[in-house]
Amino acid sequence: MNSNKALYKHIDPTGTIISILLIFLWFISLYFLLDWNISYTMPLVYIAILWQTHLYTGLFITAHDAMHGSVSKNKTINAFIGWITSLLFAFNFYDRLLKKHHEHHRFVATEEDPDYHESGNLSLWYWEFIKKYVTVKQLILMTLSLQLLRLIFPLENLILFWILPGILSTFQLFYFGTYIPHKGGHDKHKNKHNSGSLKKNHILAFISCYFFGYHYEHHDSPGTPWWRLWQIK
């Protein structure tokens, strides 16, 4: 019996199930929103934009968890979900993100950290962040996809619920997952991870960035998936 429990724990499918559900929720939500007859006087339109932004952020967080091997113990499944969620997030390529993200963990908040900007200036840091992660290949693929999708769905809906939420989520990820935790520097003798952390509030932490505002905790336990990160705060 104990050996069976140990085996089940080793192949615990929870991370994979959560990832698949998030992808499915993003896809179904987007599909219905793209075919929605909208009116700018409807408050639900703006709520839907924020909802899609949050789901977009969830796609990237899932890709991020795959980079730490915490989506699945099966390396093939883990990498596959990482690739899928990366591509759904504006045609990012998983192998490129993987390299840069591990550089971030290795050289956090130093000159060699690709996510860090020593100026601490929000707009300048965000601009440099975007330049490092957005490629010409992505822009071409997004443009081609937009031209194809507009043959099926209204352009207005595509911009509101596909393009805009993707842009907003990049700022959400940057602000709560990079800028706030790493701005201002940290005393290396007292803070070995050069990372700050949000005050304990699990509701706000989830809404803001899937608990990644608990950033010191993430750097201290990078293999902990987003949906368990609140437990080690």
Side-chain angles (χ1 to χ4, degrees):
M1 181 65 72
N2 289 335
S3 62
N4 288 337
K5 287 183 178 179
L7 177 62
Y8 178 75
K9 184 177 180 180
H10 179 69
I11 60 172
D12 182 3
T14 307
T16 303
I17 292 170
I18 289 175
S19 300
I20 292 172
L21 285 175
L22 202 153
I23 294 169
F24 178 77
L25 186 59
W26 174 84
F27 179 80
I28 292 298
S29 177
L30 180 62
Y31 178 80
F32 282 104
L33 287 173
L34 290 182
D35 205 34
W36 186 23
N37 187 17
I38 64 172
S39 168
Y40 290 104
T41 61
M42 298 167 58
L44 279 177
V45 169
Y46 307 98
I47 294 173
I49 291 171
L50 295 176
W51 168 248
Q52 280 302 109
T53 299
H54 188 66
L55 291 178
Y56 254 113
T57 299
L59 290 179
F60 190 88
I61 293 296
T62 301
H64 166 273
D65 273 4
M67 295 174 208
H68 290 290
S70 56
V71 169
S72 173
K73 294 293 184 183
N74 183 302
K75 292 183 179 180
T76 301
I77 294 174
N78 186 81
F80 178 74
I81 291 177
W83 271 99
I84 292 296
T85 48
S86 296
L87 288 170
L88 290 176
F89 193 87
F91 293 103
N92 277 278
F93 287 83
Y94 180 69
D95 53 349
R96 183 171 179 270
L97 293 176
L98 180 66
K99 180 177 181 294
K100 285 186 175 291
H101 189 65
H102 282 286
E103 286 176 357
H104 165 65
H105 273 264
R106 185 178 179 186
F107 305 111
V108 60
T110 68
E111 291 181 356
E112 296 175 273
D113 180 356
D115 294 355
Y116 184 67
H117 199 277
E118 61 181 6
S119 73
N121 181 276
L122 176 63
S123 57
L124 182 59
W125 192 341
Y126 179 61
W127 174 242
E128 291 298 323
F129 183 84
I130 290 298
K131 285 200 299 182
K132 286 179 181 177
Y133 283 97
V134 177
T135 66
V136 174
K137 184 189 293 186
Q138 283 177 262
L139 295 175
I140 292 173
L141 288 171
M142 285 293 290
T143 302
L144 290 174
S145 298
L146 180 62
Q147 296 309 314
L148 291 173
L149 287 171
R150 68 182 297 184
L151 299 175
I152 306 171
F153 302 107
L155 179 61
E156 188 176 32
N157 292 50
L158 285 164
I159 292 172
L160 285 177
F161 304 122
W162 185 51
I163 301 294
L164 180 58
I167 295 171
L168 292 175
S169 67
T170 64
F171 187 78
Q172 182 180 2
L173 287 158
F174 166 76
Y175 187 78
F176 292 104
T178 298
Y179 177 72
I180 291 296
H182 298 302
K183 70 172 183 173
H186 300 277
D187 187 337
K188 294 182 180 180
H189 298 290
K190 297 180 180 179
N191 188 326
K192 62 182 178 179
H193 299 302
N194 288 342
S195 305
S197 191
L198 289 177
K199 292 182 179 179
K200 190 174 182 178
N201 186 313
H202 297 329
I203 294 175
L204 291 178
F206 170 70
I207 292 173
S208 62
C209 200
Y210 291 77
F211 303 116
F212 270 88
Y214 295 160
H215 210 73
Y216 180 92
E217 289 77 6
H218 166 60
H219 278 268
D220 199 50
S221 181
T224 301
W226 71 263
W227 44 274
R228 282 184 177 156
L229 197 55
W230 64 274
Q231 294 176 328
I232 63 173
K233 173 61 179 173

